[in-house]
Amino acid sequence: TNGALFTREGCATISDNAGNLLLYTDGQIVWNKNHVQMENGTGLMGNSSATQSGIIVPKPGSTSIYYIFTVPQCTDPDGLKYSIVDMTFNAGLGKVIQKNIPLVNPVVEKVTAVRHSNNTDIWVITHGRDNNTFYSYLVSASGVNTTPVITNAGSVHGPDINSYVGYLKASPDGNYLACAVQYPNGFFELFNFNSSTGTMSNPIKFSGY
C-alpha cells in the first residue's frame, strides 16, 4: 500500500526466496524495496502503457544479478531490450549497471518468462509485429543468449496497432503458452510449449472474449 509505482498498464516486481521485496518497475523506472528510485534506475525503454511493460528474472546461479526485460507500447515501433541490476550496490538496495541492451525489433506489448526444463535456466519470450513469430531467449548462468529460438506459429499480430496489445502467459508447469490479441474482435491462442527447446506448436484459437 506504500509503493511508489503508478502505471496505466504493465508492471513487474520480484522478491527473494523468502518473499521479501527486492525491486519493481513500470518498464521505465526501477524502485528498490524502500520504494525509492534505484540508482541509475530511470530511462528504461519500456512503457507503462504497454500491456506487459517489463518482466524481471534472476540470473541463474547468482543471488545478486537480475535482468529487467522491457517492451514498448503499441504506438512505438521499438523492440525488446534488457537492463541489468546488481543488488550488491548501496547496501543491498541495488543499482542498474547496464541499460537498454537491444535484442529484437520491433515487438508487440508482450513479454513473459518460463522456467527451462532443466529447472535452472529461464526462457524469456516475446512476439514480433506484423508476423506470427515468437522469439525465445535463454537466460542461463552465462547471461542472456542474444540469439533467439524462433518459432512461427499461430496468428499474425498486425498490421493494426491494436493487435499488438494483449498478454502472454505460461501455465505454471511450463507446458502451455496463452497469447491474447486485442484486435480484431478479441481472441486468444493456446500453444503447446516445449521448455527444453523454447518452441511453440499446435495453436488453438479461441475467439470472442
Side-chain angles (χ1 to χ4, degrees):
T1 56
N2 59 343
L5 184 146
F6 180 84
T7 178
R8 290 184 61 190
E9 297 183 51
C11 60
T13 182
I14 198 163
S15 63
D16 63 18
N17 288 337
N20 300 304
L21 177 66
L22 293 174
L23 63 137
Y24 55 99
T25 183
D26 63 355
Q28 298 171 286
I29 299 172
V30 185
W31 290 271
N32 64 31
K33 65 182 180 181
N34 291 337
H35 314 296
V36 175
Q37 286 185 19
M38 186 174 286
E39 183 181 353
N40 199 33
T42 59
L44 273 64
M45 296 180 70
N47 196 289
S48 61
S49 187
T51 316
Q52 294 172 279
S53 55
I55 194 166
I56 308 166
V57 300
K59 181 180 182 180
S62 173
T63 58
S64 60
I65 299 296
Y66 292 84
Y67 300 111
I68 304 174
F69 293 84
T70 57
V71 292
Q73 66 174 334
C74 64
T75 56
D76 181 6
D78 204 346
L80 177 70
K81 295 179 168 66
Y82 73 98
S83 300
I84 305 174
V85 174
D86 188 337
M87 297 301 295
T88 63
F89 284 86
N90 298 310
L93 293 177
K95 174 183 177 180
V96 179
I97 59 172
Q98 286 185 266
K99 285 190 287 193
N100 301 317
I101 302 165
L103 289 171
V104 62
N105 182 75
V107 299
V108 298
E109 296 189 353
K110 303 173 175 72
V111 61
T112 195
V114 187
R115 184 76 67 180
H116 190 283
S117 61
N118 63 20
N119 206 36
T120 299
D121 300 334
I122 300 165
W123 293 107
V124 173
I125 305 164
T126 191
H127 195 285
R129 294 189 180 200
D130 305 331
N131 55 44
N132 68 340
T133 305
F134 287 94
Y135 300 92
S136 301
Y137 290 87
L138 187 65
V139 182
S140 69
S142 300
V144 179
N145 186 338
T146 58
T147 301
V149 173
I150 296 174
T151 304
N152 296 106
S155 299
V156 171
H157 293 198
D160 189 287
I161 63 170
N162 292 297
S163 66
Y164 306 152
V165 177
Y167 214 86
L168 183 65
K169 188 69 176 177
S171 61
D173 61 9
N175 290 329
Y176 298 94
L177 198 68
C179 184
V181 181
Q182 178 176 274
Y183 181 89
N185 302 320
F187 67 90
F188 71 94
E189 290 180 307
L190 182 67
F191 299 83
N192 291 101
F193 182 70
N194 187 322
S195 60
S196 296
T197 64
T199 56
M200 303 79 187
S201 60
N202 304 320
I204 302 172
K205 187 173 181 178
F206 298 85
S207 299
Y209 69 79

PDB file of all heavy atoms in Angstrom, residues 44-60:
ATOM      1  N   LEU A  44      14.675   3.471 -18.569  1.00  0.00           N
ATOM      2  CA  LEU A  44      14.464   2.198 -19.236  1.00  0.00           C
ATOM      3  C   LEU A  44      13.452   2.406 -20.360  1.00  0.00           C
ATOM      4  O   LEU A  44      12.506   3.178 -20.226  1.00  0.00           O
ATOM      5  CB  LEU A  44      13.964   1.138 -18.257  1.00  0.00           C
ATOM      6  CG  LEU A  44      15.048   0.357 -17.506  1.00  0.00           C
ATOM      7  CD1 LEU A  44      15.857   1.280 -16.597  1.00  0.00           C
ATOM      8  CD2 LEU A  44      14.426  -0.769 -16.694  1.00  0.00           C
ATOM      9  N   MET A  45      13.624   1.680 -21.457  1.00  0.00           N
ATOM     10  CA  MET A  45      12.847   1.969 -22.658  1.00  0.00           C
ATOM     11  C   MET A  45      11.652   1.042 -22.851  1.00  0.00           C
ATOM     12  O   MET A  45      11.274   0.721 -23.982  1.00  0.00           O
ATOM     13  CB  MET A  45      13.772   1.962 -23.872  1.00  0.00           C
ATOM     14  CG  MET A  45      14.822   3.069 -23.802  1.00  0.00           C
ATOM     15  SD  MET A  45      15.961   3.120 -25.205  1.00  0.00           S
ATOM     16  CE  MET A  45      14.840   3.693 -26.495  1.00  0.00           C
ATOM     17  N   GLY A  46      11.045   0.617 -21.738  1.00  0.00           N
ATOM     18  CA  GLY A  46       9.725   0.026 -21.795  1.00  0.00           C
ATOM     19  C   GLY A  46       8.700   1.149 -21.774  1.00  0.00           C
ATOM     20  O   GLY A  46       9.035   2.309 -22.025  1.00  0.00           O
ATOM     21  N   ASN A  47       7.452   0.821 -21.443  1.00  0.00           N
ATOM     22  CA  ASN A  47       6.441   1.867 -21.366  1.00  0.00           C
ATOM     23  C   ASN A  47       5.336   1.428 -20.418  1.00  0.00           C
ATOM     24  O   ASN A  47       4.861   0.288 -20.503  1.00  0.00           O
ATOM     25  CB  ASN A  47       5.860   2.163 -22.749  1.00  0.00           C
ATOM     26  CG  ASN A  47       5.106   3.465 -22.779  1.00  0.00           C
ATOM     27  OD1 ASN A  47       4.022   3.588 -22.220  1.00  0.00           O
ATOM     28  ND2 ASN A  47       5.674   4.483 -23.439  1.00  0.00           N
ATOM     29  N   SER A  48       4.927   2.345 -19.523  1.00  0.00           N
ATOM     30  CA  SER A  48       3.896   1.997 -18.552  1.00  0.00           C
ATOM     31  C   SER A  48       2.533   1.807 -19.197  1.00  0.00           C
ATOM     32  O   SER A  48       1.594   1.346 -18.560  1.00  0.00           O
ATOM     33  CB  SER A  48       3.807   3.077 -17.466  1.00  0.00           C
ATOM     34  OG  SER A  48       3.461   4.330 -18.030  1.00  0.00           O
ATOM     35  N   SER A  49       2.408   2.153 -20.490  1.00  0.00           N
ATOM     36  CA  SER A  49       1.178   1.909 -21.223  1.00  0.00           C
ATOM     37  C   SER A  49       1.262   0.661 -22.098  1.00  0.00           C
ATOM     38  O   SER A  49       0.380   0.421 -22.918  1.00  0.00           O
ATOM     39  CB  SER A  49       0.819   3.120 -22.093  1.00  0.00           C
ATOM     40  OG  SER A  49      -0.454   2.940 -22.687  1.00  0.00           O
ATOM     41  N   ALA A  50       2.305  -0.133 -21.937  1.00  0.00           N
ATOM     42  CA  ALA A  50       2.369  -1.442 -22.589  1.00  0.00           C
ATOM     43  C   ALA A  50       1.667  -2.464 -21.702  1.00  0.00           C
ATOM     44  O   ALA A  50       1.767  -2.407 -20.475  1.00  0.00           O
ATOM     45  CB  ALA A  50       3.814  -1.859 -22.824  1.00  0.00           C
ATOM     46  N   THR A  51       0.962  -3.409 -22.331  1.00  0.00           N
ATOM     47  CA  THR A  51       0.258  -4.430 -21.551  1.00  0.00           C
ATOM     48  C   THR A  51       1.186  -5.084 -20.542  1.00  0.00           C
ATOM     49  O   THR A  51       0.864  -5.237 -19.366  1.00  0.00           O
ATOM     50  CB  THR A  51      -0.312  -5.516 -22.479  1.00  0.00           C
ATOM     51  OG1 THR A  51      -0.927  -4.901 -23.602  1.00  0.00           O
ATOM     52  CG2 THR A  51      -1.317  -6.381 -21.745  1.00  0.00           C
ATOM     53  N   GLN A  52       2.328  -5.527 -21.023  1.00  0.00           N
ATOM     54  CA  GLN A  52       3.368  -6.091 -20.154  1.00  0.00           C
ATOM     55  C   GLN A  52       4.618  -5.249 -20.373  1.00  0.00           C
ATOM     56  O   GLN A  52       5.433  -5.548 -21.235  1.00  0.00           O
ATOM     57  CB  GLN A  52       3.627  -7.550 -20.498  1.00  0.00           C
ATOM     58  CG  GLN A  52       2.446  -8.468 -20.195  1.00  0.00           C
ATOM     59  CD  GLN A  52       2.681  -9.874 -20.725  1.00  0.00           C
ATOM     60  OE1 GLN A  52       2.482 -10.138 -21.892  1.00  0.00           O
ATOM     61  NE2 GLN A  52       3.099 -10.778 -19.843  1.00  0.00           N
ATOM     62  N   SER A  53       4.776  -4.209 -19.574  1.00  0.00           N
ATOM     63  CA  SER A  53       5.859  -3.256 -19.810  1.00  0.00           C
ATOM     64  C   SER A  53       7.228  -3.850 -19.538  1.00  0.00           C
ATOM     65  O   SER A  53       8.234  -3.389 -20.078  1.00  0.00           O
ATOM     66  CB  SER A  53       5.653  -2.023 -18.948  1.00  0.00           C
ATOM     67  OG  SER A  53       5.538  -2.389 -17.584  1.00  0.00           O
ATOM     68  N   GLY A  54       7.289  -4.859 -18.691  1.00  0.00           N
ATOM     69  CA  GLY A  54       8.563  -5.479 -18.377  1.00  0.00           C
ATOM     70  C   GLY A  54       8.381  -6.728 -17.545  1.00  0.00           C
ATOM     71  O   GLY A  54       7.295  -7.012 -17.028  1.00  0.00           O
ATOM     72  N   ILE A  55       9.464  -7.487 -17.451  1.00  0.00           N
ATOM     73  CA  ILE A  55       9.482  -8.649 -16.570  1.00  0.00           C
ATOM     74  C   ILE A  55      10.885  -8.781 -15.995  1.00  0.00           C
ATOM     75  O   ILE A  55      11.876  -8.442 -16.667  1.00  0.00           O
ATOM     76  CB  ILE A  55       9.047  -9.929 -17.313  1.00  0.00           C
ATOM     77  CG1 ILE A  55       8.746 -11.057 -16.323  1.00  0.00           C
ATOM     78  CG2 ILE A  55      10.084 -10.359 -18.354  1.00  0.00           C
ATOM     79  CD1 ILE A  55       7.996 -12.212 -16.949  1.00  0.00           C
ATOM     80  N   ILE A  56      10.975  -9.201 -14.744  1.00  0.00           N
ATOM     81  CA  ILE A  56      12.254  -9.297 -14.042  1.00  0.00           C
ATOM     82  C   ILE A  56      12.578 -10.770 -13.817  1.00  0.00           C
ATOM     83  O   ILE A  56      11.739 -11.523 -13.322  1.00  0.00           O
ATOM     84  CB  ILE A  56      12.199  -8.574 -12.686  1.00  0.00           C
ATOM     85  CG1 ILE A  56      11.691  -7.137 -12.853  1.00  0.00           C
ATOM     86  CG2 ILE A  56      13.575  -8.586 -12.010  1.00  0.00           C
ATOM     87  CD1 ILE A  56      11.300  -6.471 -11.544  1.00  0.00           C
ATOM     88  N   VAL A  57      13.797 -11.183 -14.183  1.00  0.00           N
ATOM     89  CA  VAL A  57      14.212 -12.566 -13.932  1.00  0.00           C
ATOM     90  C   VAL A  57      15.587 -12.565 -13.271  1.00  0.00           C
ATOM     91  O   VAL A  57      16.425 -11.704 -13.575  1.00  0.00           O
ATOM     92  CB  VAL A  57      14.242 -13.411 -15.224  1.00  0.00           C
ATOM     93  CG1 VAL A  57      12.872 -13.471 -15.868  1.00  0.00           C
ATOM     94  CG2 VAL A  57      15.261 -12.894 -16.208  1.00  0.00           C
ATOM     95  N   PRO A  58      15.833 -13.514 -12.375  1.00  0.00           N
ATOM     96  CA  PRO A  58      17.164 -13.614 -11.768  1.00  0.00           C
ATOM     97  C   PRO A  58      18.140 -14.290 -12.718  1.00  0.00           C
ATOM     98  O   PRO A  58      17.761 -15.116 -13.553  1.00  0.00           O
ATOM     99  CB  PRO A  58      16.910 -14.489 -10.540  1.00  0.00           C
ATOM    100  CG  PRO A  58      15.762 -15.364 -10.942  1.00  0.00           C
ATOM    101  CD  PRO A  58      14.898 -14.516 -11.853  1.00  0.00           C
ATOM    102  N   LYS A  59      19.396 -13.929 -12.612  1.00  0.00           N
ATOM    103  CA  LYS A  59      20.426 -14.659 -13.340  1.00  0.00           C
ATOM    104  C   LYS A  59      20.646 -16.003 -12.656  1.00  0.00           C
ATOM    105  O   LYS A  59      20.938 -16.052 -11.449  1.00  0.00           O
ATOM    106  CB  LYS A  59      21.730 -13.869 -13.348  1.00  0.00           C
ATOM    107  CG  LYS A  59      22.859 -14.561 -14.122  1.00  0.00           C
ATOM    108  CD  LYS A  59      24.130 -13.733 -14.108  1.00  0.00           C
ATOM    109  CE  LYS A  59      25.218 -14.423 -14.916  1.00  0.00           C
ATOM    110  NZ  LYS A  59      26.477 -13.640 -14.933  1.00  0.00           N
ATOM    111  N   PRO A  60      20.466 -17.124 -13.359  1.00  0.00           N
ATOM    112  CA  PRO A  60      20.657 -18.428 -12.728  1.00  0.00           C
ATOM    113  C   PRO A  60      22.053 -18.565 -12.117  1.00  0.00           C
ATOM    114  O   PRO A  60      23.055 -18.164 -12.717  1.00  0.00           O
ATOM    115  CB  PRO A  60      20.463 -19.412 -13.895  1.00  0.00           C
ATOM    116  CG  PRO A  60      19.538 -18.687 -14.822  1.00  0.00           C
ATOM    117  CD  PRO A  60      19.970 -17.254 -14.743  1.00  0.00           C
TER     118      PRO A  60
END
